[in-house]
Structure formats: structure tokens, C-alpha cells
Amino acid sequence: MKTKKFSIGKLLLLLIGIIAALLYLSPVLILVNSSFKTLKEIYLNILALPETLSFANYSAAFAALDFGQTFLNSVVITVTSTILILLVSSMAAWALARYKTKTSKVLFMIFASAQLIPFQCVMLPLVDFMDKLHLMNRPGLIFMYVGFGCSMSIVLFHGFISNVPKELEEAATIDGCNLFQTFFKIVLPLLKTILVTVAILEVMWIWNDFLLPQLVINKTGWQTLPLKTYLFFGQFTKKWDLATAGLVLCMLPIVIFYLLCQKHIVKGVTEGAVK
């Protein structure tokens, strides 16, 4: 009797999980379904299946987005920003974790508190300041991503580095390693798990970001994929058929990247949190 109740309870939880997953995925499913429909079909019934399975929207959206160049822009900005964030934040976190002073504690609290400040509160002064420095371009965008991305990364790295035995670094120093050799040859290889975790989180954020590129990049040929999809939404017309296909094309690379790397996220965060 107990076994029967337990099975019914598991079945009920499974049904609740399936319903919750469908509700959560419903916007994505509607988006993918609409990407195969004509504009008329979308307006007539957004939930109906397409009358014919056609990839015409994808070919038209691919051409309109100048997908090759735009994809390359997103890759360059995302990869460059992520590498710089990993390098700067790991070195900063190592210094804050190993050199315990009142100043290091205050600096760590500043980085941790910076995550609480919404971007919208600082975006106008930031854009005005960057414009005066003539950095309203792709290098300027990368510089701002590094600034905004380091606070969370430093917190994650700091928790992980605190678990790394300090004796390894002391042994390296005795063997004649200087500060940089100790970090790059001893500490950095030990941070592989958290490096992958932070890289995944930063890549997903930068790749999907729309607001900051919209404020900074104002030249044709420089746009990222999320920014380029905005061209389907005009003041008086909205090309939902091409827009849905373009959004799927924009979303597909980062979804594949996440599915390949998702197991590292929970592992890295939990290992960095346990002390």
C-alpha cells in the first residue's frame, strides 16, 4: 500500500513538472512555431500550426540580418569581453583572497555591492562619459562589458580561490616563481571549473544583451545579432514572420552552447560556495 501511494506521488510530481516545463517553454514554442508561418497566418491564429512547413522566413531573415557579418560581430565582442573578464576578475579575486587587509575587505564588499546597482541607473552618465572619451564603438562596448561583468565574476572566483590550499603557492615561491608565474602556472590551472562556469554565465549575458549595444553601437556593420533583429520592428509595421525566424537564428547558437556546457554551471557555483 505504501508503495502504491509512493508511485502515485511520484506520478503527480512528474505531471506537475511536465506542466510547469510546458508553461515555461510555451513562449519559445510559440516563437519557433510562428517562424514557419506567413504573416497572415500569425495574425489569424498565433497558436495554430503552420499550413505548410516552409523555411522561406529563415532564408529571408538570414539575408536581411547579414547573418555572417552580424554573427561574427557578436562572436568577437562576446569572446573578447569574456576572456578579459576572466583574466581581470580572476587576478583581482586572487589578490583579494590571499592578501587579507582592511582595504581588501572593503574592495570585495564594493564589488559584491556593485551587483545590486541596476544598469538603468548609470547608463546615461556612462554613455555621456564614454562619448567624451570617443569610445562609442566596439572597443568601448567591450570595455564596458568588462567593467560590468567583473563584479559578479570576482565574487565567484573569490569563493573558489578561498578553497585552494595556500601551501601550493608557498611551495611555488620557494621554488623561485615570481608573483605572475605563481598565478598563471599554479593558481589558474586549479580554477578550471569556475573558469568554465563564469565563462558560460558571461557569454550568455553578453550574447543576449540588447540595451548596451543599442546605446553604444550606432554604425551600420557593427551591430550584434540581438541589435540587428530590431530592424524587423519599424514605427508603423512589424514583420513578425521574419522577426520570429531572425530571433530563432539569434537564439540558436547560445542555446547549443548552453546545452553543451550546462553541467559546469551548478558544479562551479556550488564548489565556489562551499568553504
Side-chain angles (χ1 to χ4, degrees):
M1 193 69 182
K2 290 183 179 179
T3 306
K4 187 177 180 181
K5 288 183 179 179
F6 179 73
S7 300
I8 293 173
K10 287 182 67 175
L11 180 62
L12 183 61
L13 288 175
L14 180 62
L15 289 174
I16 293 173
I18 293 173
I19 293 171
L22 289 174
L23 289 173
Y24 184 79
L25 292 173
S26 57
V28 179
L29 296 176
I30 293 172
L31 177 70
V32 174
N33 180 52
S34 299
S35 68
F36 294 101
K37 297 162 70 173
T38 64
L39 189 60
K40 180 181 178 181
E41 288 178 308
I42 293 174
Y43 281 131
L44 286 176
N45 190 344
I46 188 68
L47 297 178
L49 293 174
E51 294 180 1
T52 58
L53 190 63
S54 173
F55 290 89
N57 289 340
Y58 283 93
S59 59
F62 192 94
L65 289 172
D66 189 13
F67 190 83
Q69 180 61 47
T70 311
F71 177 80
L72 182 62
N73 291 339
S74 289
V75 169
V76 170
I77 291 172
T78 302
V79 171
T80 305
S81 301
T82 302
I83 291 174
L84 290 175
I85 289 172
L86 293 176
L87 181 62
V88 173
S89 57
S90 61
M91 294 178 72
W94 179 59
L96 293 173
R98 287 295 182 249
Y99 301 98
K100 298 286 187 179
T101 63
K102 290 183 179 179
T103 303
S104 65
K105 292 179 181 178
V106 172
L107 288 174
F108 179 75
M109 290 304 300
I110 291 173
F111 283 119
S113 302
Q115 299 177 77
L116 304 176
I117 302 174
F119 170 71
Q120 290 79 2
C121 294
V122 298
M123 65 179 184
L124 293 180
L126 175 66
V127 169
D128 181 61
F129 177 73
M130 295 300 286
D131 186 43
K132 291 178 180 177
L133 296 177
H134 304 290
L135 285 175
M136 297 293 284
N137 46 36
R138 284 177 291 185
L141 179 63
I142 292 171
F143 178 78
M144 284 185 270
Y145 274 136
V146 174
F148 282 108
C150 277
S151 56
M152 181 193 71
S153 302
I154 286 174
V155 172
L156 293 175
F157 276 121
H158 188 277
F160 194 94
I161 291 172
S162 298
N163 297 321
V164 175
K166 195 175 180 180
E167 290 75 13
L168 295 175
E169 300 167 33
E170 293 173 348
T173 303
I174 294 173
D175 288 339
C177 291
N178 58 35
L179 199 63
F180 289 100
Q181 289 174 329
T182 301
F183 177 77
F184 286 105
K185 292 184 178 181
I186 305 299
V187 179
L188 197 60
L190 298 175
L191 304 182
K192 180 181 177 181
T193 303
I194 193 65
L195 281 169
V196 174
T197 301
V198 174
I200 293 170
L201 296 175
E202 298 296 348
V203 165
M204 290 193 298
W205 162 55
I206 296 170
W207 183 274
N208 293 317
D209 188 36
F210 171 79
L211 184 55
L212 191 54
Q214 186 191 32
L215 293 171
V216 176
I217 297 177
N218 51 17
K219 185 176 179 180
T220 303
W222 288 6
Q223 294 98 330
T224 60
L225 277 172
L227 185 57
K228 193 75 171 182
T229 54
Y230 190 63
L231 65 88
F232 296 121
F233 301 95
Q235 184 177 1
F236 301 106
T237 59
K238 292 178 175 61
K239 302 175 183 178
W240 288 109
D241 50 345
L242 299 184
T244 51
L247 290 169
V248 172
L249 288 173
C250 177
M251 180 177 64
L252 196 58
I254 198 65
V255 170
I256 295 173
F257 174 79
Y258 176 77
L259 292 176
L260 292 174
C261 304
Q262 62 175 333
K263 66 179 181 179
H264 296 284
I265 296 179
V266 175
K267 183 179 179 182
V269 172
T270 52
E271 287 189 17
V274 178
K275 291 188 177 182

